[in-house]
Amino acid sequence: MQPIRKIASKTVVMPSANIDTDQIIPARFLTITTKDGLGRELFADWRYLSDGLPNPDFILNKPEAAGCRILVAGRNVGCGSSREHAPWALLDYGFRAVVSTEIADIFRSNSLKNGLLPVVVDAATHQWLIEHPGAQIDIDLERMRLTLPTGVSAAFPMEAFARHCLLNGLDELGYLRSRLQDIEHYEAAHSV
Amino acid sequence: MIESMSLRTLFDKVWTAHEVVAETPDTPAVLYVDLHLTHEVTSPQAFTALRAAGLPVRRKDRTLATLDHSTPTVTEQVFGGVPIKVDAAARQVHELEKNAVEFGIELLGMRDARRGIVHVISPELGATQPGMTIVCGDSHTSTHGAFGALAFGIGSTEVGHVFATQCLLQRKPKTFAVNVEGRLPHGVTAKDLILAIIGRIGVSGGTGHVLEYRGSAIAALSMEQRMTVCNMSIEAGARAGMIAPDEATFAYLHERPRSPKGKHWDAAVERWTALRSDPGAAFDLSVDIDASRLEPMITYGTNPGMVLPISASIPRKSDNAAFDKALAYMGFQAGDSMLGKPINVAFIGSCTNGRLEDLQSAARILKGRKVAAGVHLLIVPGSQQVKREAEALGLADIFKAAGADWRESGCSMCIGMNGDLVPGGQYSVSTSNRNFEGRQGAGARTLLASPFTAAASAVTGRITDPRDMLAA
Ligand code: SF4
């Protein structure tokens, strides 16, 4: 994985609360056996009309969304199904961070493993972002701060180990495998 | 004070027993996994990662695979003669068949008599046991918590981690006591209880927490009902849900194919008996629910927290765009009463309500009655074993006589990856667990409810309080 330090981009805002992973990538697209190409189906049921043409009212189909790498979503984004296809689809489309006041557990974990930053901010910062779609913001993983174009910046939490892996482009499996001896000891001690 | 610090919850006990390496401020815990369940949808990319790294599945004996999500429920497609209708689904099925052979893991495959929804078959086989850690690339892994296991869903990358190391990197979640006292009234089921709990704490109320369901109402539930409750813990955002094992748990597991036998059984029961929260152990959060005041519940919106007692009307909420959007999707108005709304489909099945007791509940309503004209009632057993039992008990005959569609086991219309779909715009009363937009098919409108309510509504063609039919 590539190291990640900073993301600077304009935002796309989807203010609804509880955007679940079935919306991010509907189940009928989960029959793939690779991770590639899911960006085309990202938010498929909101993005395309029943005849397959783009829905002009949906934010990702508007010209101002082009090139945006930060998605600001309502509370509890990523709830529901554990499908890792959700962060795969967001990344394949071009997003690099998801910002909300609350991010569902499994989606957050899956995002971290793929280099999609789950950024949880305070309610006031979130409200500002919702009210200013398209704002150019900075996310600094090293300092764990999100900075608004007003110059105001807000701290966000990030689990220490995941942050270390992201900053250094490390894969968590490498660390787990470095503990194989501990795992063998555990198995011997517990006769498992 | 010192005394109370040594008091531990059920979750603490299971967690600590599986810490290979405890967490530090810089590193998460390395947590040992006793049982890794796998299915065709979330495993292909994990096998690819293993292959790329040249790694084997480290503990094949702790890995169990089945086919459930993409599998058709039409008999001819399962048992041959007719190819699987959905091409991509067929490819995914064949991919797991190939991977199981290549990596040497046990697959309860397409024509295996033990096949079924992963969360139905593992308990059925006695593979799910108290005190275990159980994971699966599937959020409803929380189901197995009904046995006092710590069971949770993981993503495909983590599936790869467990394949390679039998461990996961995890931060310790917090605890949340859900105290349920009193008796569930007649006609009110475990499904209604968990929907009421989600309505109360909200779809993110459990985020970062492991729920423990406790109290007299929980103790009174059968194992199948406890599985229904734990199954939907994830719909409250929780990492997992647990219930302390007791005599009902032991009776369920006794003599199952993979339960301990003989003197191992006695030793296991002794160990399992200690798996309960110490009296006075502290939880980070708690909620109290009075079971005796509950009614049958039904959802009206597009997440499981948008739920009402069946006799209630849809609330009015001003200035809430998500709420308005959900009602628009459902084609409902604030103030509408739920009873009497017309439906097109009823679906009885899934890992929430696809077990034998659920089918027995449906049969109590359907016996001697007919499905309303124009309504499609699809009944899908959670496993092939449930199917055989339902047929032996005559339930399948009751369903067919009522005009219901009776199928082979699988996830079916819960997720709509396998050819079973609710047509766009249609209303389905479903016993599954998610009423998200498009969950049962693009444009499908899902109303989550119990098997009683789904069956009763199928008979009248309208949302119906099942208590009227149970009394008769
Ligand atoms: S029945 Fe539905 S919720 Fe359960 S495992 Fe299958 S798809 Fe998931």
Side-chain angles (χ1 to χ4, degrees), chain B residues 35-36 83 85 101 142 161 165 202 223 253 297 304 320 332 347 359 406 415 438 453:
Chain B
L35 176 63
H36 184 195
K85 199 173 117 205
V101 173
S142 58
H161 292 178
T165 66
M223 289 315 294
L253 286 174
M297 304 291 287
N320 185 330
F332 292 159
F347 169 59
L359 302 187
W406 172 244
I415 191 160
T453 303

Side-chain angles (χ1 to χ4, degrees), chain A residues 44-168:
Chain A
D45 289 337
W46 292 347
R47 201 161 133 208
Y48 304 107
L49 300 168
S50 50
D51 57 7
L53 292 173
N55 173 0
D57 296 333
F58 183 61
I59 178 69
L60 294 189
N61 294 325
K62 297 189 178 174
E64 62 265 31
C68 291
R69 299 168 74 206
I70 299 173
L71 175 64
V72 175
R75 182 172 53 76
N76 196 31
V77 61
C79 60
S81 160
S82 61
R83 59 190 70 168
E84 200 161 316
H85 309 66
W88 294 337
L90 286 160
L91 282 161
D92 188 55
Y93 178 85
F95 285 117
R96 292 293 174 265
V98 175
V99 181
S100 181
T101 48
E102 223 181 310
I103 299 183
D105 287 334
I106 306 179
F107 175 71
R108 193 192 51 223
S109 161
N110 286 339
S111 296
L112 288 169
K113 299 211 169 30
N114 291 277
L116 178 70
L117 285 193
V119 177
V120 173
V121 293
D122 61 275
T125 304
H126 189 247
Q127 189 58 34
W128 191 95
L129 289 167
I130 297 275
E131 285 167 5
H132 298 82
Q136 173 77 31
I137 65 171
D138 281 299
I139 295 172
D140 183 334
L141 177 62
E142 196 154 20
R143 293 169 56 233
M144 297 194 285
R145 295 200 80 86
L146 180 151
T147 306
L148 305 177
T150 58
V152 172
S153 92
F156 60 84
M158 185 64 59
E159 197 278 312
F161 185 72
R163 174 169 164 270
H164 168 77
C165 289
L166 290 167
L167 286 172
N168 297 290

Side-chain angles (χ1 to χ4, degrees), chain B residues 68-69 117-119 138 140 231 350-351 411 414-415 433 439:
Chain B
D68 51 8
H69 284 66
I117 304 172
V118 63
H119 311 308
D138 193 287
H140 293 100
N231 174 273
S350 87
C351 58
C411 295
C414 171
I415 191 160
N433 43 54
R439 170 74 180 190

